[in-house]
């Protein structure tokens, strides 16, 4: 074992391979919670999840149960889901409306939605104690920092560090690409969240997101099945709906996948460029482009629609498919269990037919009855099981190692199947865990 | 897995005395459950009319599958994709094999329009699934919109509302419930 006796992490992550304990050791998982999930910016939710004052959604940030809530003044607070009195959780429901105040169900302490204590029953009982209402500890604790970029709310539980925009860097194109595609420049959440648990370490999911080598292998069955039916429909009625293409695109041969580029940014973020050809010339798309030109003008519309992204990974916990308005938030539950929360969005001002496109992808690829992730989750489980094997200590990321182009800190792969995104994620992991 | 071949397709279309809708529908629902447990996917799809849909809404308050998120919203073409996938030799998640047991009961005939030949039936179901040494349970309500055809009863729409449908899924649903 290359691990130091003092429990240090040095030697576990090399530029082209990672020791299996990084995925399997519960002690390392706990350090990841402290040094990654409790420090960097973690996605909390979209502002449109809480449209009215008092609306709240509960969310797990690292190990912390938190509440994202809309205040009277339209601002958004993110609070620790804990009553400062005896420590009971305040909101036991996943979402709802708190009305004017959060009320603790145990002893009736009341709080403004921004966390400020509002009333305590028989407050005289605290006179002369060090827990009187002027003590800030009587308020619900607030997240150290809350940031929002184009309606997407992130939380950092650390006082110091990069701002949200600095942290996202150029990878914020995930949200620009999604929102710019809306004639009104913003998106609105569709209030259904599919939640699926993976029996594997959270990093295994992130590594899969931009892995262009796996789709035609892992998803061969779904791709072929869709292709057969797609051709059958085409024979019967001319053209199959785009939905079938979402699946049959998995049959793209490996040589084509190798032509797709990945762009790898600081902090572990990466982009996989598009391969699906999501700019068809059917009447619905032409109508949508007309609406876009009305709002943005010809040149800007062209600029927006020619952004060619399939996936953006925002390390360490968000996978965004901007051209189809979907995102998957990663919530590590334990070293070998990971929850994904899957949302999709409407482009404000776009024709209904364009929403149906996002919806088709959400239903087919991202629902709990997905024919795609059925095989991914199976692989993730196998990857995690394999970590227990003494057949080898290292997980390999050697593919095209040393052959990517470094453009002032931005790593551009020359090949789509380069394992540059995984190497880039571990560069960030090592930086973030440096203090651990 | 039990390999015995149930003659489901024929039996599902078998005529009763033509007046006992309750018993006819019950027999139909039992056959559908048996078809699922026997993994006779083509027979399952054949229980649907040409315009039939299998629909599992994302939330119980939904009134249509059109334009809203669904867990399943499949016509016969999409059902054929699902069937073809699980039958593909490289459908990796099909190993290990898995099995289900469906129970259907509490069958209530909501509508029996003899003129149009349309029946609406509500029932309760419970499905236990066993895969890789773990069991999962899904339970809830079926609502079948049935149509009388020359082949017997066929499904115009099957709505499936699971009482645990909005919960966290430990792994996914590979096939219809």
């Amino acid at each position: 074992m290359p691990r130091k006796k003092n429990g240090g992490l040095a030697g576990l992550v090399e530029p082209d391979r990672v020791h299996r304990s990084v995925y399997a050791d519960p002690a390392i998982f706990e350090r990841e919670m402290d040094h990654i999930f409790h420090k960097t910016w973690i996605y909390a939710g979209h502002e449109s999840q809480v449209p009215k004052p008092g609306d709240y959604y509960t969310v797990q940030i690292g190990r912390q149960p938190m509440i994202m809530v809309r205040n009277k003044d339209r601002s958004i607070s993110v609070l620790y889901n804990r009553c400062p009195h005896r420590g009971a959780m305040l909101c036991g429901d996943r979402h709802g409306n708190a009305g004017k105040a959060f009320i603790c169900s145990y002893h009736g302490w009341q709080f403004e939605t921004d966390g400020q204590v509002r009333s305590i029953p028989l407050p005289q009982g605290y006179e002369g104690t060090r827990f009187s209402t002027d003590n800030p500890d009587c308020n619900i604790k607030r997240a150290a920092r809350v940031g929002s970029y184009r309606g997407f709310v992130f939380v950092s539980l650390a006082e110091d560090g990069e701002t949200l925009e600095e942290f996202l860097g150029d990878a914020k194109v995930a949200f620009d690409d999604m929102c710019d595609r809306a004639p009104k420049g913003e998106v609105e959440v569709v209030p259904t969240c599919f939640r699926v648990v993976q029996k594997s370490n959270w990093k295994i999911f992130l590594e899969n997101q931009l892995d262009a080598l796996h789709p035609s292998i892992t998803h061969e069955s779904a791709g072929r099945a869709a292709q057969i039916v797609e051709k059958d429909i085409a024979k019967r009625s001319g053209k199959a709906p785009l939905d079938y293409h979402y699946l049959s695109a998995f049959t793209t041969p490996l040589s084509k996948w190798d032509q797709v580029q990945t762009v790898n940014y600081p902090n572990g973020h990466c982009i996989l460029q598009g391969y699906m050809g999501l700019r068809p010339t059917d009447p619905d798309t032409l109508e949508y482009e007309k609406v876009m030109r009305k709002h943005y003008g010809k040149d800007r519309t062209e600029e927006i629609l020619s952004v060619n992204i399939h996936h953006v990974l925002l390390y360490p916990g968000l996978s965004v498919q901007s051209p189809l308005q979907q995102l998957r938030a990663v919530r590590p539950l334990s070293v070998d269990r990971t929850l994904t929360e899957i949302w999709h969005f409407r482009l404000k001002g776009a024709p209904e037919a364009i929403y149906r496109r996002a919806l088709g992808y959400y239903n087919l690829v991202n629902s709990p009855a997905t024919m795609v992730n059925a095989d991914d989750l199976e692989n993730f489980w196998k990857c995690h099981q394999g970590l227990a094997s003494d057949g080898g200590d290292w997980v390999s990321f050697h593919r095209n190692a040393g052959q990517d182009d470094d453009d002032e800190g931005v790593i551009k792969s020359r090949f789509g199947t380069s394992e540059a995104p995984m190497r880039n994620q571990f560069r960030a992991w090592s930086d973030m865990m440096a203090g651990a | 897995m039990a390999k015995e071949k149930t003659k489901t397709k024929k039996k599902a279309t078998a005529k009763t005395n033509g007046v006992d809708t309750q018993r006819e529908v019950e027999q139909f629902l039992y056959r559908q459950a048996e078809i699922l447990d026997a993994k006779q996917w083509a027979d399952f799809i054949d229980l649907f009319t040409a315009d039939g849909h299998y629909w599992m809404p994302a939330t119980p308050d939904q009134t249509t599958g059109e334009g809203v998120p669904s867990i399943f919203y499949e016509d016969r073409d999409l059902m054929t994709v699902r069937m073809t996938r699980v039958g593909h030799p490289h459908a990796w998640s099909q190993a290990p094999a898995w099995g289900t047991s469906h129970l259907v009961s509490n069958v209530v005939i909501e509508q029996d329009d003899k003129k149009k030949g349309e029946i609406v039936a509500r029932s309760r179901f419970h499905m236990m699934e066993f895969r890789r040494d773990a069991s999962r349970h899904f339970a809830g309500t079926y609502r079948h919109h049935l149509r009388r055809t020359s082949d017997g009863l066929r499904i115009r729409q099957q709505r499936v509302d699971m009482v645990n449908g909005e919960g966290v899924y430990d792994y996914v649903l590979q096939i219809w419930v």
Side-chain angles (χ1 to χ4, degrees):
Chain A
M1 292 283 280
R3 211 159 152 201
K4 283 182 187 166
K5 278 208 180 105
N6 65 7
L9 299 169
L12 295 180
V13 174
E14 297 181 4
D16 53 5
R17 63 176 194 174
V18 174
H19 193 268
R20 57 179 163 134
S21 60
V22 168
Y23 302 86
D25 184 342
I28 293 181
F29 177 83
E30 295 304 324
R31 291 192 205 186
E32 288 174 335
M33 292 300 104
D34 291 335
H35 290 272
I36 300 177
F37 285 86
H38 289 182
K39 282 193 181 154
T40 57
W41 289 96
I42 304 295
Y43 182 64
H46 192 264
E47 288 180 9
S48 59
Q49 282 170 240
V50 287
K52 295 189 296 290
D55 282 351
Y56 70 85
Y57 246 93
T58 61
V59 59
Q60 183 91 4
I61 305 291
R63 290 189 209 93
Q64 300 305 313
M66 308 290 288
I67 309 165
M68 177 174 84
V69 58
R70 178 75 70 173
N71 298 314
K72 275 190 299 227
D73 65 0
R74 307 293 306 154
S75 65
I76 284 179
S77 292
V78 179
L79 311 170
Y80 287 76
N81 192 358
R82 177 189 185 275
C83 177
H85 173 217
R86 294 271 275 275
M89 180 174 270
L90 282 165
C91 295
D93 209 353
R94 280 183 61 226
H95 54 92
N97 186 288
K100 286 189 178 137
F102 289 115
I103 304 173
C104 180
S105 58
Y106 196 2
H107 301 99
W109 284 44
Q110 295 195 15
F111 307 89
E112 306 291 346
T113 55
D114 67 358
Q116 178 70 39
V117 67
R118 203 168 179 248
S119 69
I120 296 174
L122 307 175
Q124 62 273 26
Y126 287 94
E127 278 168 24
T129 76
R130 53 181 186 167
F131 212 52
S132 50
T133 49
D134 56 343
N135 182 338
D137 288 348
C138 288
N139 304 327
I140 308 172
K141 187 175 174 182
R142 301 177 179 99
R145 293 183 294 161
V146 178
S148 180
Y149 184 74
R150 299 198 73 163
F152 295 85
V153 180
F154 285 73
V155 170
S156 166
L157 301 183
E159 297 286 349
D160 306 315
E162 291 173 305
T163 64
L164 175 62
E165 285 201 39
E166 285 166 352
F167 174 74
L168 295 174
D170 287 340
K172 63 182 186 295
V173 69
F175 304 122
D176 290 331
D177 184 38
M178 199 193 288
C179 298
D180 288 348
R181 285 169 188 273
K184 292 188 175 166
E186 55 185 49
V187 296
E188 185 174 37
V189 79
V190 179
T192 290
C193 178
F194 289 142
R195 297 178 296 155
V196 178
V197 164
Q198 310 169 351
K199 289 173 208 163
S200 45
N201 185 263
W202 62 278
K203 297 186 289 299
I204 293 173
F205 172 74
L206 296 190
E207 287 158 15
N208 177 255
Q209 293 307 289
L210 288 91
D211 182 317
L213 190 60
H214 89 283
S216 59
I217 317 290
T218 303
H219 305 304
E220 182 187 350
S221 61
R224 290 284 168 223
Q227 194 178 42
I228 290 166
V229 178
E230 187 178 29
K231 279 184 184 161
D232 186 49
I233 297 173
K235 220 188 294 171
R236 286 192 331 248
S237 56
K239 182 125 181 75
L242 194 61
D243 294 12
Y244 290 86
H245 179 63
Y246 297 148
L247 301 179
S248 65
F250 290 122
T251 60
T252 305
L254 276 181
S255 55
K256 284 264 167 63
W257 287 106
D258 221 13
Q259 291 164 20
V260 178
Q261 201 186 35
T262 61
V263 184
N264 301 277
Y265 295 108
N267 289 328
H269 314 314
C270 357
I271 290 175
L272 175 68
Q273 289 182 337
Y275 61 88
M276 275 185 174
L278 288 176
R279 204 176 161 190
T281 51
D282 58 284
D284 290 337
T285 309
L286 296 179
E287 175 60 30
Y288 161 64
E289 293 192 0
K290 222 165 90 187
V291 178
M292 286 289 281
R293 279 195 295 272
K294 214 173 122 194
H295 277 81
Y296 288 107
K298 198 171 160 225
D299 294 349
R300 179 71 185 125
T301 298
E302 205 45 45
E303 199 176 63
I304 291 168
L305 297 179
S306 57
V307 173
N308 187 28
I309 289 174
H310 180 253
H311 237 114
V312 183
L313 180 83
L314 297 169
Y315 199 76
L318 198 61
S319 170
V320 184
Q321 283 175 288
S322 45
L324 288 163
Q325 299 92 48
Q326 331 256 316
L327 67 77
R328 292 184 270 199
V330 180
R331 313 287 180 200
L333 303 176
S334 63
V335 71
D336 59 357
R337 280 176 75 80
T338 304
L339 173 68
T340 49
E341 297 171 345
I342 312 163
W343 297 91
H344 75 299
F345 299 84
R346 268 178 195 276
L347 298 174
K348 279 194 179 175
E352 176 69 12
I354 299 302
Y355 167 63
R356 296 290 179 107
R357 222 167 258 181
L359 177 65
Y361 194 86
Y362 188 67
N363 285 348
L364 266 185
V365 178
N366 276 325
S367 97
T370 166
M371 289 181 261
V372 178
N373 297 338
D375 291 309
D376 281 323
L377 266 55
E378 181 71 6
N379 279 342
F380 302 166
W381 179 81
K382 286 175 177 169
C383 283
H384 201 97
Q385 293 300 305
L387 299 168
S389 171
D390 289 339
D393 277 336
W394 296 94
V395 177
S396 156
F397 298 116
H398 295 86
R399 194 174 180 81
N400 299 111
Q403 297 161 23
D404 305 308
D405 295 318
D406 188 337
D407 184 1
E408 293 178 17
V410 177
I411 313 289
K412 295 178 177 168
S413 73
R414 279 184 228 163
F415 302 97
T417 67
S418 167
E419 283 164 344
M422 301 78 177
R423 292 190 287 271
N424 190 53
Q425 287 167 43
F426 274 105
R427 240 179 3 158
W429 189 90
S430 297
D431 289 346
M432 292 172 184
M433 295 286 279
Chain B
M1 280 305 90
K3 287 272 186 241
E4 62 175 290
K5 203 160 171 155
T6 42
K7 288 176 187 158
T8 39
K9 200 174 163 187
K10 281 208 177 108
K11 284 193 179 171
T13 65
K15 289 249 170 170
T16 60
N17 64 11
V19 281
D20 189 354
T21 306
Q22 175 77 28
R23 186 171 154 72
E24 187 185 6
V25 168
E26 282 174 4
Q27 288 298 311
F28 181 85
L29 298 178
Y30 298 161
R31 291 303 175 202
Q32 189 189 26
E34 218 166 55
I35 282 171
L36 280 173
D37 291 338
K39 301 192 171 184
Q40 293 173 316
W41 311 134
D43 292 344
F44 178 84
I45 297 173
D46 279 342
L47 295 178
F48 288 78
T49 59
D51 61 348
H53 278 82
Y54 177 90
W55 177 35
M56 187 186 288
T59 55
D61 57 332
Q62 291 175 351
T63 54
T64 168
E66 285 299 319
V68 291
S70 298
I71 297 167
F72 292 84
Y73 187 55
E74 298 185 355
D75 59 10
R76 289 179 58 122
D77 282 328
L78 275 175
M79 288 189 230
T80 305
V81 176
R82 189 171 290 280
M83 171 181 76
T84 311
R85 183 192 90 82
V86 294
H88 192 282
H90 288 168
W92 310 107
S93 64
Q94 293 301 299
W98 47 273
T100 58
S101 170
H102 284 77
L103 295 178
V104 185
S105 81
N106 307 19
V107 181
V108 177
I109 307 294
E110 289 184 4
Q111 278 176 50
D112 183 8
D113 189 330
K114 296 239 164 34
K115 242 188 208 162
K116 284 191 184 161
E118 289 183 354
I119 300 167
V120 181
R122 185 172 79 232
S123 58
R124 287 269 166 176
F125 70 89
H126 175 267
M127 179 187 99
M128 183 270 205
E129 178 207 69
F130 184 73
R131 180 176 187 267
R132 196 170 271 139
D133 294 337
S135 304
R136 291 196 297 179
H137 295 265
F138 295 97
T141 303
Y142 288 147
R143 199 152 183 268
H144 284 78
H145 287 252
L146 301 167
R147 194 179 284 156
R148 288 187 191 284
T149 74
S150 53
D151 294 327
L153 292 178
R154 287 292 178 266
I155 305 164
R156 190 172 58 74
Q157 180 177 277
Q158 177 178 3
R159 176 176 175 145
V160 183
D161 286 290
M162 301 201 302
V163 71
N164 47 347
E166 289 182 273
V168 172
Y169 287 78
D170 216 337
Y171 194 57
V172 302
L173 298 167
Q174 298 198 60
I175 208 87
W176 311 286
V177 173

